[in-house]
Amino acid sequence: IRYRYMNRHKLTKIEAIAWLGTSMLFFGPYLLQYRIGFILNAIGIMCLTPQVIKAKQWNLVILNIVSSTGYWLQIFNII
């Protein structure tokens, strides 16, 4: 059954990267007891940033930068 409102459209590169980042953030919090959890969260947030920049949501851009920086510092045992 095909509905008129369910038109399939091709994902842009930014949307595909955002979906990848979302999937990483889906699993990352459950693995925070291991280093891979911090890596998944840091990369996931960085993958969401281009979509947020495109939407010009600058408060979320800053939040993503600060969050990913915190995860990278945790990965390398700086904090």
Side-chain angles (χ1 to χ4, degrees):
I1 299 174
R2 187 170 180 147
Y3 298 101
R4 280 184 275 151
Y5 60 88
M6 293 179 63
N7 292 333
R8 182 132 169 97
H9 75 285
K10 188 175 181 181
L11 291 177
T12 64
K13 289 180 183 178
I14 290 177
E15 290 172 338
I17 292 170
W19 276 106
L20 178 67
T22 302
S23 63
M24 288 180 183
L25 288 174
F26 183 77
F27 293 107
Y30 298 105
L31 299 170
L32 278 178
Q33 59 188 349
Y34 310 108
R35 184 171 286 191
I36 189 68
F38 289 103
I39 294 171
L40 285 175
N41 281 342
I43 294 173
I45 289 173
M46 288 173 30
C47 287
L48 289 177
T49 304
Q51 184 182 32
V52 176
I53 290 172
K54 183 180 176 185
K56 297 181 181 177
Q57 296 175 332
W58 305 116
N59 59 334
L60 293 178
V61 172
I62 294 170
L63 181 67
N64 286 355
I65 292 170
V66 170
S67 298
S68 63
T69 302
Y71 283 125
W72 286 113
L73 292 174
Q74 185 68 33
I75 290 167
F76 294 115
N77 292 325
I78 296 174
I79 57 170

